[in-house]
Amino acid sequence: TKTISKCYVQVTGMTCASCVANIERNLRREDGIHSILVALMAGKAEVRYNPAVIHPSAIAELIRELGFGATVMENYGEGDGILELVVRGMTCASCVHKIESTLMKTNGVLYCSVALATNKAHIKYDPEIIGPRDVIQVIKDLGFTTSLVKKDRSASHLDHKQEIRQWKRSFVVSLVFCVPVMGLMIYMMVMDSQLSDAHAHHNMSNEEMEALHSSMVLEYQLLPGLSVMNFLSFLLCVPVQMFGGWHFYIQAYKALKHKTANMDVLIVLATSIAFVYSFVILLVAMAEKAKVNPVTFFDTPPMLFVFISLGRWLEHVAKGKTSEALARLISLQATEATIVTLGPDNVLLSEEQVDVELVQRGDIVKVIPGGKFPVDGRVIEGHSMVDESLITGEAMPVTKKPGNTVIAGSINQNGSLLISATHVGADTTLSQIVKLVEEAQTSKAPIQQFADKLSGYFVPSIVAVSVVTLFAWIIIGFVDFEIVEKYFLVTEVIIRFAFQASITVLCIACPCSLGLA
């Protein structure tokens, strides 16, 4: 018996199925090459050869002569097959021992661990020697029932519906309360400008000015120190702070718990400080029964939350779109396969329905008209038309006859086919496409990593700048009061102005392009 070795070659420059056929056809003719199998999406060829006749480097050279790039993949094993099973019918530790010891004696099983508490078995095997169906059969022969651990095929991790709903709700709540706040603010601004015009034209005294001011509806005091304007703003601000900002608070808390600062921390800081400061000022004014209504910042939080939650909502809608494409790809995969046993002259002896994960390379799979191909394979019997548009974009059905290759996920149309499985599980073209798209989504562009790194420093520095602003204006106010304006209660005005400046710094930094991008 001549020994057969196996090697893997990384092949670059293949563009379509005809490249694959070209390589396979030409290499099969060579002396010493037993069989060759090329995977287009993975870009690798698996070659079985006779080491006495040919070497892997020579095989790579043969592929290079055909016009492709080829390098031998050193110490690249096929990778052990891993099987997760649910085993029913185990009662005690001796059952566990019985299964484990029997499997470990089985040729091709490398490792096996069975947990009685969870009824699960974790098995590693060599796909060259043994397949998942053989392992399951061994366990069944011992008198236990077993089945595959069901994989989540629904791609639920790609579903952004919940986040989209959550941010949409957040946006709507903020918007409903923000519009009246903005209305009040604009009304106050218009009235203020009219007052200052009147002041400029009529040279009124400050007392008359105050009288005119307090005659405005919104400036009317419900309680000493509590004007209608401030009271309404407060009422409108509370729900936004509670419901509109709920998710921001959760995210910010999580970030701070892990000693990091993200955009949510900034947003929460700015809105909370504005809200708390305004609330405290109101309480102080009411306690002092102040005649002049204090200036509050109740308009800041609703407006900030509106813009940011709108941004988040749009972002998740966009993410949902890309993930939808991937989810649709995953849903193309067949879940079951019909495996047949053939006798001499391709006579059908038996057929059974199995889970698609249990199909092994070399199995004969029957695909009926209208059925999906569960694995990549080669037609061995039957003629049919196959719709491959989902994978290749080819609108017309493609004729398939013995010797042609078929792609998992494509749809058989009019004839029944028997195919021999060549690529199964994670090696099928469809699985490779899904894997590539997933990797593309999870990997970050270098500029994106840089932006993430920057925003890590960005938040603390903004907070620092804001604090510096606050103290700078307080110092300026006390040193040279002219700048802030001659008014009443010196300290209150200075602190209020300084505070306004520092809140502005925080708020402007919130919807920063860096964070949004």
Side-chain angles (χ1 to χ4, degrees):
T1 57
K2 56 180 182 177
T3 56
I4 296 288
S5 297
K6 186 164 75 168
C7 71
Y8 289 89
V9 182
Q10 184 81 49
V11 183
T12 53
M14 295 189 291
T15 52
C16 61
S18 66
C19 301
V20 172
N22 183 10
I23 295 173
E24 290 185 352
R25 191 178 60 247
N26 282 292
L27 261 73
R28 277 204 194 96
R29 297 188 189 134
E30 298 294 333
D31 277 344
I33 290 183
H34 197 261
S35 71
I36 172 165
L37 191 60
V38 182
L40 174 66
M41 295 299 296
K44 68 172 194 255
E46 177 190 314
V47 187
R48 287 158 187 266
Y49 62 99
N50 182 353
V53 180
I54 196 165
H55 283 288
S57 51
I59 296 172
E61 188 51 49
L62 286 171
I63 297 176
R64 277 198 289 274
E65 279 169 14
L66 293 172
F68 302 97
T71 47
V72 178
M73 299 165 82
E74 297 296 336
N75 56 42
Y76 175 85
E78 159 122 24
D80 304 332
I82 290 175
L83 195 56
E84 294 273 355
L85 297 175
V86 178
V87 183
R88 300 257 173 242
M90 296 189 292
T91 50
C92 59
S94 65
C95 302
V96 172
H97 178 68
K98 190 161 82 177
I99 295 173
E100 286 185 349
S101 58
T102 311
L103 279 175
M104 288 307 282
K105 281 183 205 145
T106 311
N107 187 19
V109 175
L110 309 170
Y111 164 82
C112 161
S113 142
V114 181
L116 179 63
T118 56
N119 286 338
K120 287 217 176 118
H122 182 82
I123 298 144
K124 274 190 187 162
Y125 61 93
D126 181 351
E128 287 295 298
I129 304 171
I130 195 169
R133 289 206 308 286
D134 310 325
V135 175
I136 287 177
Q137 196 52 51
V138 169
I139 299 175
K140 280 187 176 156
D141 291 345
L142 292 173
F144 303 98
T145 55
T146 177
S147 61
L148 272 178
V149 172
K150 279 279 169 263
K151 282 214 180 78
D152 177 20
R153 280 209 190 85
S154 65
S156 57
H157 62 288
L158 300 171
D159 194 6
H160 289 272
K161 285 196 183 73
Q162 192 197 342
E163 285 101 331
I164 293 173
R165 254 201 323 271
Q166 149 187 324
W167 288 113
K168 186 178 177 182
R169 201 167 48 229
S170 182
F171 169 66
V172 171
V173 168
S174 306
L175 188 67
V176 166
F177 292 102
C178 174
V179 172
V181 169
M182 285 176 78
L184 289 175
M185 209 172 78
I186 293 166
Y187 176 74
M188 285 299 286
M189 281 168 148
V190 171
M191 294 306 281
D192 272 356
S193 67
Q194 281 182 2
L195 280 174
S196 51
D197 285 352
H199 194 210
H201 290 134
H202 304 298
N203 301 326
M204 297 161 82
S205 66
N206 272 349
E207 287 75 23
E208 291 169 71
M209 186 77 177
E210 287 302 327
L212 189 71
H213 219 293
S214 41
S215 67
M216 277 170 57
V217 187
L218 290 176
E219 286 294 327
Y220 174 73
Q221 294 199 337
L222 296 169
L223 294 168
L226 179 63
S227 65
V228 178
M229 167 77 181
N230 281 340
F231 183 62
L232 285 177
S233 301
F234 172 70
L235 284 186
L236 291 167
C237 189
V238 171
V240 178
Q241 203 68 16
M242 298 287 288
F243 304 110
W246 178 245
H247 303 298
F248 292 104
Y249 278 97
I250 294 173
Q251 300 279 325
Y253 171 70
K254 284 180 183 163
L256 289 172
K257 206 164 81 176
H258 293 117
K259 295 189 174 56
T260 57
N262 56 9
M263 295 311 291
D264 298 309
V265 175
L266 258 195
I267 296 158
V268 165
L269 257 180
T271 52
S272 307
I273 294 173
F275 181 76
V276 172
Y277 170 81
S278 307
F279 186 55
V280 171
I281 285 276
L282 263 193
L283 290 182
V284 171
M286 286 165 69
E288 291 178 347
K289 299 195 178 353
K291 290 277 180 289
V292 179
N293 294 312
V295 174
T296 56
F297 301 121
F298 285 126
D299 49 349
T300 305
M303 291 173 76
L304 253 188
F305 281 139
V306 163
F307 291 124
I308 308 254
S309 51
L310 174 65
R312 294 280 164 96
W313 176 30
L314 293 176
E315 179 190 350
H316 281 289
V317 169
K319 273 187 188 164
K321 288 271 191 299
T322 35
S323 305
E324 211 172 274
L326 189 50
R328 289 231 294 283
L329 262 184
I330 292 175
S331 69
L332 295 179
Q333 292 171 332
T335 51
E336 289 198 317
T338 308
I339 290 185
V340 297
T341 317
L342 296 179
D345 300 334
N346 283 358
V347 181
L348 269 184
L349 297 179
S350 68
E351 57 179 73
E352 61 166 330
Q353 286 279 92
V354 300
D355 207 298
V356 77
E357 268 116 24
L358 294 179
V359 179
Q360 299 163 23
R361 187 187 285 182
D363 280 341
I364 308 297
V365 181
K366 177 179 168 190
V367 185
I368 54 170
K372 276 184 189 170
F373 288 94
V375 291
D376 290 3
R378 200 170 267 113
V379 180
I380 52 172
E381 192 177 290
H383 287 259
S384 182
M385 304 294 281
V386 174
D387 176 7
E388 294 184 342
S389 60
L390 304 162
I391 309 284
T392 60
E394 172 65 72
M396 299 298 290
V398 184
T399 312
K400 296 290 177 191
K401 54 186 195 291
N404 290 150
T405 53
V406 291
I407 306 171
S410 51
I411 296 163
N412 186 16
Q413 291 194 334
N414 49 11
S416 185
L417 291 177
L418 289 183
I419 65 165
S420 166
T422 54
H423 295 97
V424 297
D427 292 333
T428 63
T429 308
L430 190 58
S431 300
Q432 292 287 336
I433 293 175
V434 169
K435 186 169 144 223
L436 284 171
V437 176
E438 271 185 339
E439 277 174 6
Q441 283 199 343
T442 49
S443 63
K444 285 184 179 177
I447 189 82
Q448 197 177 348
Q449 288 171 339
F450 181 61
D452 285 358
K453 195 168 157 189
L454 268 190
S455 62
Y457 301 120
F458 178 76
V459 178
S461 54
I462 288 294
V463 175
V465 170
S466 171
V467 172
V468 169
T469 309
L470 177 69
F471 286 114
W473 277 108
I474 290 176
I475 294 163
I476 292 171
F478 281 118
V479 173
D480 184 0
F481 190 55
E482 295 278 301
I483 298 176
V484 184
E485 261 308 284
K486 290 201 173 78
Y487 248 135
F488 50 109
L489 284 176
V490 179
T491 319
E492 197 243 4
V493 173
I494 294 170
I495 289 180
R496 188 185 82 209
F497 186 82
F499 196 80
Q500 223 165 343
S502 70
I503 280 275
T504 309
V505 171
L506 271 183
C507 294
I508 287 176
C510 277
C512 81
S513 47
L514 179 76
L516 292 179

